[in-house]
Amino acid sequence: MKILLCPLSDGGYLYPALAAGRELRRRGHHVGVLARSSAGPVVAEAGLPCAVAEEFGGHRAFSATWWGKTGAAQYRAVLRAARAARADLLVTSVLCNGALLAAEALDIPVAVVGLSAHLWDYRSGGDGEQHLGRTRESRTRDSLDLHAATREEVGLAGRAPRWAHDPLLGDALLLRGDPALEHPGAELPERVAHVGPLSWEPAPRQGEWEAVEEHMGRTGGGKPVVYVHLGRFFGGRTLWPRLNEAFTGGPFQAVVEQGRSTDPAPAPDADILLVRKPWMGPLVDAADLVLANGTSAPVLSALLRGRPLVLSPNGSEQPLLTGACVRAGVAVRDPKTPSVDLSALLESVSRDEGLRSRARALGDRLAAADGAARAADIVERVAQAYAIPKENHEYAISRPR
């Protein structure tokens, strides 16, 4: 089978797709990747061939920053690349409307790699769920509206959609988390399954990690490390004033991954090392706990290593994932108010053995999941089901187990 991976090219989306793609290649399938040019070295390290998105008209179309504005360009790029590769199946990221519509136009199946928790409406249940940000209903409605607008923009509005119900899920939506991150009693929609973290990342270059380690030992004075991973602010408050206060003269030192945030502002006297790395595993290994905005990559990396979390969400999926982690008892939410001292909050979390024990237990379950194998099983099952005559599809494509 010829498979084209066409995820968003940001690490939090690209790396899980590469993990699934590597397993599919190990099973004998032909796997290629459509990604923006800057992601080429990472794709090469994963051992997969890379088609450059810009060469197929996909400028900005595979950037998480531009995902809501470039659906039509993504559609055209995936359509061209899939035809060139003679792809039998696509694997894309959640929120990639262009790739979903390209699969529909090509009449081939598509599997979607999701986040660590389900973003949209449950099939049933979920009553009483506390929402830190937008409701599931609001997020689902807006996502469907954007999908419909993209569908009209690319000229598919007159065609009967393949997935009249839940068109955002593709033929299978693969969640990278655990049932503990869903609301108790909630039932996921058909075609949605948990597969586990799909953990893969590039290795540090020679001497790269050692330089970070040396810096922490030289300037941190032996203080325990907090790994800080900053996502997009979405117009919310920047964490920098609180970071500078917490890590100046406090009990911890910080390694801050700038991530997709802008305008880093570490104070001159703060015990802060600012980095921008395509990997985070060694940094989390060296940390006592993790402070993040609540995106999937640092949350899963922390849990896989048994590290408790302090989460400070802004927009998009961050409040939902934060609520899921707090509910599972593996994280504490930073209320971001002057009355709550961040340094004291970090100390409290660091000493909380119950929080740490629950993080280790959930991490052990995630590590045991073998997400790449589960994902590959579901992708192969989707392909087999799609080969059955169309009139039998509703019986062939059941929810993956």
Side-chain angles (χ1 to χ4, degrees), residues 209-266:
W209 160 242
E210 290 77 9
V212 173
E213 192 174 33
E214 180 186 358
H215 186 281
M216 290 189 299
R218 185 175 66 251
T219 65
K223 294 178 180 180
V225 176
V226 176
Y227 176 65
V228 182
H229 190 102
L230 299 179
R232 292 176 62 195
F233 292 134
F234 295 103
R237 295 180 183 177
T238 173
L239 267 178
W240 276 109
R242 290 174 64 74
L243 293 179
N244 286 326
E245 182 179 1
F247 297 109
T248 301
F252 297 100
Q253 61 175 314
V255 177
V256 180
E257 167 57 57
Q258 184 177 337
R260 287 191 281 134
S261 64
T262 56
D263 301 325

Side-chain angles (χ1 to χ4, degrees), residues 18-245:
L18 293 177
R22 284 160 57 89
E23 172 63 17
L24 287 162
R25 185 197 59 178
R26 190 191 67 78
R27 297 184 181 195
H29 301 292
H30 298 279
V31 181
V33 184
L34 179 65
R36 62 175 183 251
S37 57
S38 60
V42 170
V43 175
E45 183 169 340
L48 298 173
C50 184
V52 177
E54 291 88 340
E55 295 178 3
F56 291 89
H59 178 65
R60 289 181 172 173
F62 296 89
S63 167
T65 302
W66 294 89
W67 76 268
K69 303 175 182 177
T70 57
Q74 184 183 93
Y75 166 81
R76 291 188 290 269
V78 173
L79 203 64
R80 293 163 183 160
R83 284 171 173 162
R86 297 184 178 180
D88 301 304
L89 180 143
L90 304 179
V91 176
T92 191
S93 302
V94 68
L95 307 177
C96 285
N97 289 315
L100 290 171
L101 294 169
E104 182 180 327
L106 293 164
D107 195 21
I108 59 175
V110 55
V112 180
V113 179
L115 303 176
S116 55
H118 187 54
L119 279 176
W120 299 301
D121 286 338
Y122 287 125
R123 187 180 184 188
S124 64
D127 300 330
E129 181 179 19
Q130 182 181 7
H131 300 282
L132 299 180
R134 301 171 60 191
T135 65
R136 288 185 183 273
E137 292 79 5
S138 172
R139 189 181 296 108
T140 302
R141 183 177 62 252
D142 286 354
S143 298
L144 289 171
D145 287 347
L146 182 57
H147 182 274
T150 307
R151 183 182 177 82
E152 183 172 0
E153 186 178 358
V154 302
L156 294 180
R159 295 176 46 166
R162 182 196 299 173
W163 311 286
H165 182 60
D166 288 333
L168 306 171
L169 310 182
D171 291 288
L173 173 62
L174 315 179
L175 296 178
R176 291 150 48 203
D178 180 271
L181 297 178
E182 307 299 338
H183 193 273
E187 183 179 0
L188 293 170
E190 292 287 344
R191 312 197 308 273
V192 179
H194 288 102
V195 299
L198 291 174
S199 181
W200 181 88
E201 65 180 17
R205 296 189 299 271
Q206 185 174 4
E208 193 175 18
W209 160 242
E210 290 77 9
V212 173
E213 192 174 33
E214 180 186 358
H215 186 281
M216 290 189 299
R218 185 175 66 251
T219 65
K223 294 178 180 180
V225 176
V226 176
Y227 176 65
V228 182
H229 190 102
L230 299 179
R232 292 176 62 195
F233 292 134
F234 295 103
R237 295 180 183 177
T238 173
L239 267 178
W240 276 109
R242 290 174 64 74
L243 293 179
N244 286 326
E245 182 179 1

